[in-house]
C-alpha cells in the first residue's frame, strides 16, 4: 500500500472552481483520484474539469455545478457523481460564505442565517447524502475545510468564526458516530491564504503585514499548501486519524 495513493477513489469537492477547492481537486487527481468539480457556475467548473482531464487523462474529472444552499442541488451533485463514477469515497466540504464583516451587534438575522446555513448545515446535508454508501463499504474519508477563525475570537469576522468552530465539532461528532464503520472525518483549518475569498484581508499591504508579521513563517499561504493536507487526510497515510482539526497557518496560532 502506498501511503498517498488515491487510485480508484472518487472525490467530490465543493467550491472547487477556484482557490483552495481547485487546488485540492487538482492534487487529488494527481494522486490518482477521479474528481468532481462543483461550484455555482457551470462555466468555471467545466474549465477546471477540462484542464484536469487534459493533464491526467480523459474521464478523470467531471463538472457538476451546484449551490450548497440548495438541498436539491446537493442531492443532484451526489446522484450525478454516482451515475458517472459508481461511488463516492472522499467528500471535501470546502465551499463557504461570509457576507458580513464587523461586530456581532451589527449582523442581520438574514446574514447570520446564511453563514450558518452554507458553512454548517449544508456540509451536514452533503455528508449525510454520501454517508450511507460509505457505511455499507465501511470505508470513506470526509474532509471539512474550516479555518483558524474557529479557534480564535475576532471582532471583524465573528459570525464566520462561529460557523467554522461548529464545523470542527461536526467533524468530531461524526467521527465518533462513524468510526466503528471505518469512516474518518477531519477538518483542515487554514490560516490566511491568497484566494479571492480572503482578498479583503491581503490586498491591502498594510493589513497583510499586520496579519502575517506575527506568524513564524512571516507570509501568506498559497492554495496548494492546503491541498497537501487534503491529500493526506484523503489517503491511507491518515488511516489512524479522525475527529481532528489539522491547522495549516504558517504558525500564527502558536505565536504571540
Amino acid at each position: 500500500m502506498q501511503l498517498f495513493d488515491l487510485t480508484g477513489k472518487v472525490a467530490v469537492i465543493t467550491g472547487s472552481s477556484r482557490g483552495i477547492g481547485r487546488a485540492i481537486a487538482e492534487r487529488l487527481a494527481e494522486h490518482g483520484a477521479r474528481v468532481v468539480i462543483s461550484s455555482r457556475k457551470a462555466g468555471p467548473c467545466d474549465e477546471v474539469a477540462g484542464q484536469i482531464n487534459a493533464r491526467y487523462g480523459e474521464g478523470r474529472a467531471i463538472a457538476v455545478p451546484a449551490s450548497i444552499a440548495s438541498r436539491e442541488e446537493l442531492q443532484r451533485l451526489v446522484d450525478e457523481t454516482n451515475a458517472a463514477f459508481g461511488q463516492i469515497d472522499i467528500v471535501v466540504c470546502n465551499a463557504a460564505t461570509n457576507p458580513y464583516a464587523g461586530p456581532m451587534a451589527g449582523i442581520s438575522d438574514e446574514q447570520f442565517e446564511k453563514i450558518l446555513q452554507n458553512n454548517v448545515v449544508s456540509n451536514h446535508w452533503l455528508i449525510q447524502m454520501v454517508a450511507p454508501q460509505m457505511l455499507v463499504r465501511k470505508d470513506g474519508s470526509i474532509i471539512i475545510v474550516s479555518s483558524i477563525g474557529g479557534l480564535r475570537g475576532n471582532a471583524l469576522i465573528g459570525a464566520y468564526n462561529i460557523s467554522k468552530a461548529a464545523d470542527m465539532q461536526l467533524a468530531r461528532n461524526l467521527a465518533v458516530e462513524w468510526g466503528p464503520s471505518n469512516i474518518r472525518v477531519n477538518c483542515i483549518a487554514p490560516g490566511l491564504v491568497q484566494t479571492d475569498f480572503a482578498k479583503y484581508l491581503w490586498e491591502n499591504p498594510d493589513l497583510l503585514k499586520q496579519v502575517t508579521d506575527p506568524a513564524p513563517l512571516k507570509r501568506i499561504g498559497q492554495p496548494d499548501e492546503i491541498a497537501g493536507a487534503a491529500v493526506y487526510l484523503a489517503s491511507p497515510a491518515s488511516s489512524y486519524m479522525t475527529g481532528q482539526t489539522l491547522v495549516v497557518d504558517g504558525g500564527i496560532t502558536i505565536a504571540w
Side-chain angles (χ1 to χ4, degrees):
M1 178 183 68
Q2 293 186 321
L3 286 181
F4 298 96
D5 184 16
L6 295 173
T7 302
K9 300 295 186 181
V10 175
V12 173
I13 308 102
T14 64
S16 48
S17 63
R18 60 181 183 172
I20 290 172
R22 176 175 182 166
I24 289 173
E26 290 172 342
R27 290 302 185 174
L28 293 180
E30 180 187 358
H31 284 77
R34 290 173 289 173
V35 298
V36 181
I37 308 302
S38 186
S39 66
R40 284 177 298 174
K41 296 179 181 176
C45 292
D46 289 335
E47 182 181 341
V48 173
Q51 289 177 1
I52 290 174
N53 285 329
R55 185 175 303 167
Y56 300 111
E58 199 59 39
R60 290 294 293 279
I62 61 170
V64 184
S67 167
I68 58 169
S70 166
R71 180 192 282 268
E72 291 72 25
E73 291 189 28
L74 287 177
Q75 187 62 60
R76 181 174 53 78
L77 169 61
V78 171
D79 292 344
E80 290 193 18
T81 300
N82 285 328
F85 290 145
Q87 65 187 59
I88 299 170
D89 304 284
I90 301 157
V91 175
V92 183
C93 297
N94 168 70
T97 191
N98 186 31
Y100 174 80
M104 291 296 296
I107 193 169
S108 69
D109 287 349
E110 184 182 12
Q111 288 169 321
F112 202 1
E113 287 166 4
K114 182 176 182 180
I115 290 171
L116 295 176
Q117 172 62 58
N118 287 359
N119 298 2
V120 186
V121 177
S122 292
N123 291 345
H124 164 73
W125 282 348
L126 179 58
I127 292 166
Q128 296 299 328
M129 290 169 185
V130 175
Q133 60 174 283
M134 292 182 170
L135 290 166
V136 169
R137 292 194 305 269
K138 295 192 179 301
D139 185 52
S141 177
I142 295 163
I143 303 164
I144 303 171
V145 179
S146 180
S147 167
I148 59 167
L151 300 168
R152 317 172 72 167
N154 186 294
L156 185 66
I157 52 172
Y160 176 78
N161 288 357
I162 289 167
S163 73
K164 291 303 182 176
D167 279 333
M168 295 177 190
Q169 186 59 32
L170 178 62
R172 286 188 284 263
N173 265 55
L174 295 178
V176 169
E177 291 182 29
W178 295 336
S181 295
N182 194 41
I183 298 171
R184 300 180 300 105
V185 191
N186 293 287
C187 283
I188 302 172
L192 181 59
V193 177
Q194 195 165 7
T195 64
D196 288 345
F197 185 80
K199 196 169 185 178
Y200 69 103
L201 288 171
W202 57 260
E203 63 182 350
N204 181 318
D206 294 332
L207 183 56
L208 177 61
K209 180 175 169 59
Q210 179 185 330
V211 172
T212 55
D213 264 6
L217 293 185
K218 306 289 183 190
R219 64 174 177 83
I220 192 171
Q222 298 301 317
D224 213 34
E225 294 179 302
I226 308 304
V231 171
Y232 167 69
L233 292 175
S235 73
S238 62
S239 59
Y240 196 52
M241 183 172 180
T242 195
Q244 302 303 310
T245 295
L246 189 57
V247 176
V248 188
D249 69 346
I252 186 68
T253 52
I254 56 92
W256 283 102

